[in-house]
Amino acid sequence: MSSSSVQKDVMESPVMMEDTEKDLYSVSSGTLNEAGIDAEVARFFADESAVIPEGVVIDDATNRRLRWMVHKRVLVVMVVTYFAQTLDKGTINFASIMGIVEDNHLHGQQYAWLTTCVYIAILAWEFPTNRLIQRLPVAKYLAFNITAWGAVLACTAACSNFTGLIIVRTLLGIFECVCQPAFVFLSTMWYTREEQALVIGAFYSMNGFQQCVGGLIAYGIAQIHHATLKNWQILFTILGCVTVVWGIFVFFWLPDSPMRAKCWSKEDRLLIAERVRKNETGIQNRQFKMYQVVEALTDPTVWAVTLISLTNALPTGGLGAFSNIILQAFGFTQLQTYLLAIAQGAIIMTFLFSGAWLSKHYNNKLVFAFLYTLPNIAGTIVFLTVPTNAHTKVGLLIAFYCTQGFGAVAVLNLAVMSNNVAGRTKQVIASSLVFIAWAVGNAVGPQVFRSNDSPRYIKAFVAHIVVYGVQLAIIVFLRLRLMRLNVLKRRAQGLRESQANGEDRDERLAHKHAFDDLTDKENPDFRYVY
């Protein structure tokens, strides 16, 4: 693709036609228009025709080879990092029955605040970190945050009171909140829309895997007796130091983008970029564009995925912080509680992978998001109606496992967001809103479990039922909306009107504007998937 063809394709956008004062990007002049292609992306594609033929078709064998290359450099980092993040953040759950409450003289709602403060920090820092992900080399920024939160986690072992714990937990939230928005961005940069649900599911499944491994680690450390450090201090020190080492590795291993991936040949880098052209969501654009901010804030689709994030996270926050305490209240011993956490992790992973796989197999995300909300409702109804005693604890345990379906809904919601929001600044706003809502839900969630309502927490589970009902209604609305938008897109192009999910095979769209940083509303070739 020559520089002139880059200019020509960008100029064909209606946005470009409306404002002649905005100069197009030119490889020779180095100017850049506000709504046009990113300068680095344009330079990268400028000599494409000299490396690969124009209009190249990537065959299945090449596609598989490229995908595995990306897996080894990108997916591995996302999976391991997210495992470290969930394990590190959830360490407080295991420490709760190792003596951290007594050793730090916590009382009343203070333990709940150790989880809430993390999400308040995320709430405050979510937009700045999304903007930094857009502005900075994403791999280097991610590596810095991993190293920083590892150091903070290790420092938790030195705490001896509520104030110290609040400080380190707040810093942990600031550094850890980079993970999910960075990984969703990396998913859109490196993977096709068809692959993104499984990719997001792969790293999100570490929520379950950390339950398995965390339970084993906690059980092993719990067997240490008469050590200088308390068991919970050993736990924080070991995990913090390991995380610091991993952050240093990520700095050197993860590429910032296909343009900067010097670990591969120029031809492979171009093919990897071409592989995601049909996404119509671009690779990167470092400019912050106010018109895209306005569009994001007035788009019902953005607000729908934001509300789903909130309703799905509120029950998650409470169940995550209090799961071990709830299991002990059912009548299980400390050892049994650790071992049951392993089973809980396996159930979470089963929900996540089955949801992601089924959504890809049947090309339907929102229907399965609806279906995977139903087990949560069933489990919560059991909590409300069945008393806690020795005869009912197995049934209550099964009901508790049913409430782990939230993970599948979270994955599918993130995939819907990444698939249906285009324009890098619009993505920044949408991602910020979704993860702010996630933080609000997780911050409020533990507070719903009042200490004076234990051990059954009836009021908390009534609130969960209401929230799940709202979530189902929003999912139905969003599906109907995206179907309608596809009809309008095809009508505007004079094509056969259809509610088809994504691009119809007979449409044969040229994807000329894939890297022009147009929003999903602006780009005539964009098709919504649901």
Side-chain angles (χ1 to χ4, degrees), residues 15 53 111-112 133 140 151 222 273 344 359 417 425 446 462 476 497 503:
V15 176
Y111 173 74
I133 290 168
K140 305 303 181 288
Q344 179 188 353
S359 72
M417 179 189 73
T425 300
V462 169
V476 171
E497 294 184 15
E503 180 181 346

Side-chain angles (χ1 to χ4, degrees), residues 16-238:
M16 303 303 106
M17 299 291 288
E18 291 175 0
D19 193 347
T20 56
E21 293 180 358
K22 298 177 180 178
D23 294 328
L24 295 172
Y25 174 80
S26 167
V27 174
S28 58
S29 68
T31 58
L32 181 68
N33 115 341
E34 183 189 357
I37 190 169
D38 180 78
E40 186 178 14
V41 174
R43 283 194 296 269
F44 178 69
F45 282 108
D47 59 349
E48 177 184 8
S49 58
V51 181
I52 58 175
E54 187 172 354
V56 64
V57 177
I58 301 175
D59 59 51
D60 289 341
T62 302
N63 190 50
R64 284 194 299 271
R65 179 179 66 84
L66 296 172
R67 185 167 58 240
W68 277 108
M69 288 167 56
V70 173
H71 282 346
K72 286 185 283 187
R73 286 278 175 172
V74 180
L75 185 60
V76 167
V77 168
M78 290 197 291
V79 168
V80 176
T81 302
Y82 201 76
F83 168 68
Q85 188 241 14
T86 54
L87 183 63
D88 293 351
K89 188 167 59 185
T91 303
I92 196 72
N93 194 12
F94 294 110
S96 68
I97 48 179
M98 278 184 177
I100 192 172
V101 174
E102 296 78 11
D103 292 340
N104 285 268
H105 317 293
L106 304 182
H107 55 83
Q109 289 295 109
Q110 286 186 334
Y111 173 74
W113 275 105
L114 297 184
T115 297
T116 299
C117 71
V118 173
Y119 294 101
I120 291 175
I122 293 172
L123 180 64
W125 191 245
E126 192 62 50
F127 174 72
T129 206
N130 268 277
R131 178 68 181 107
L132 289 170
I133 290 168
Q134 179 187 21
R135 191 73 185 89
L136 301 176
V138 62
K140 305 303 181 288
Y141 180 60
L142 177 64
F144 163 77
N145 281 277
I146 295 170
T147 306
W149 94 55
V152 167
L153 189 73
C155 290
T156 307
C159 295
S160 58
N161 54 47
F162 176 65
T163 302
L165 287 174
I166 281 288
I167 291 171
V168 295
R169 295 288 291 174
T170 301
L171 289 172
L172 194 67
I174 289 172
F175 292 125
E176 284 191 347
C177 74
V178 68
C179 276
Q180 293 193 73
F183 293 168
V184 171
F185 175 46
L186 289 171
S187 298
T188 62
M189 178 187 288
W190 295 99
Y191 290 98
T192 65
R193 292 207 285 187
E194 294 79 10
E195 297 164 348
Q196 285 170 23
L198 279 172
V199 169
I200 294 172
F203 72 73
Y204 216 90
S205 69
M206 294 300 102
N207 281 301
F209 190 61
Q210 73 89 11
Q211 287 279 356
C212 302
V213 177
L216 291 173
I217 293 173
Y219 175 62
I221 291 177
Q223 306 313 303
I224 300 174
H225 303 290
H226 311 299
T228 303
L229 296 177
K230 302 290 181 68
N231 287 347
W232 62 269
Q233 292 174 315
I234 295 172
L235 182 65
F236 281 111
T237 302
I238 292 174

Side-chain angles (χ1 to χ4, degrees), residues 199-367:
V199 169
I200 294 172
F203 72 73
Y204 216 90
S205 69
M206 294 300 102
N207 281 301
F209 190 61
Q210 73 89 11
Q211 287 279 356
C212 302
V213 177
L216 291 173
I217 293 173
Y219 175 62
I221 291 177
Q223 306 313 303
I224 300 174
H225 303 290
H226 311 299
T228 303
L229 296 177
K230 302 290 181 68
N231 287 347
W232 62 269
Q233 292 174 315
I234 295 172
L235 182 65
F236 281 111
T237 302
I238 292 174
L239 295 181
C241 292
V242 171
T243 302
V244 168
V245 173
W246 175 251
I248 296 170
F249 172 79
V250 170
F251 185 89
F252 295 101
W253 183 254
L254 178 65
D256 289 306
S257 66
M259 292 78 72
R260 300 187 181 191
K262 304 301 182 183
C263 51
W264 299 316
S265 68
K266 180 62 180 289
E267 180 180 1
D268 280 342
R269 283 185 281 146
L270 284 165
L271 289 173
I272 286 170
E274 283 293 335
R275 212 174 72 87
V276 299
R277 176 181 288 274
K278 62 181 180 179
N279 289 357
E280 296 288 350
T281 52
I283 296 177
Q284 73 175 31
N285 194 293
R286 303 193 188 283
Q287 282 194 307
F288 193 75
K289 303 170 183 176
M290 285 307 300
Y291 85 93
Q292 292 193 11
V293 174
V294 173
E295 182 174 316
L297 293 176
T298 56
D299 190 343
T301 299
V302 171
W303 287 109
V305 293
T306 299
L307 289 173
I308 293 171
S309 181
L310 173 65
T311 57
N312 197 55
L314 193 148
T316 308
L319 291 172
F322 284 86
S323 60
N324 282 350
I325 294 174
I326 291 169
L327 290 176
Q328 278 194 306
F330 290 168
F332 296 104
T333 66
Q334 180 179 4
L335 172 58
Q336 288 174 330
T337 300
Y338 281 136
L339 297 178
L340 287 172
I342 298 173
Q344 179 188 353
I347 299 248
I348 291 173
M349 294 180 72
T350 301
F351 274 122
L352 284 167
F353 279 120
S354 62
W357 184 85
L358 288 169
S359 72
K360 183 177 187 297
H361 183 74
Y362 292 102
N363 191 27
N364 220 313
K365 297 177 180 66
L366 289 172
V367 166

Side-chain angles (χ1 to χ4, degrees), residues 20 68 186 226 324 384 387 398 442 461 465 468 528:
T20 56
W68 277 108
L186 289 171
H226 311 299
N324 282 350
L384 288 170
I398 294 172
N442 277 281
F461 290 121
I465 288 289
Y468 288 136
Y528 296 92

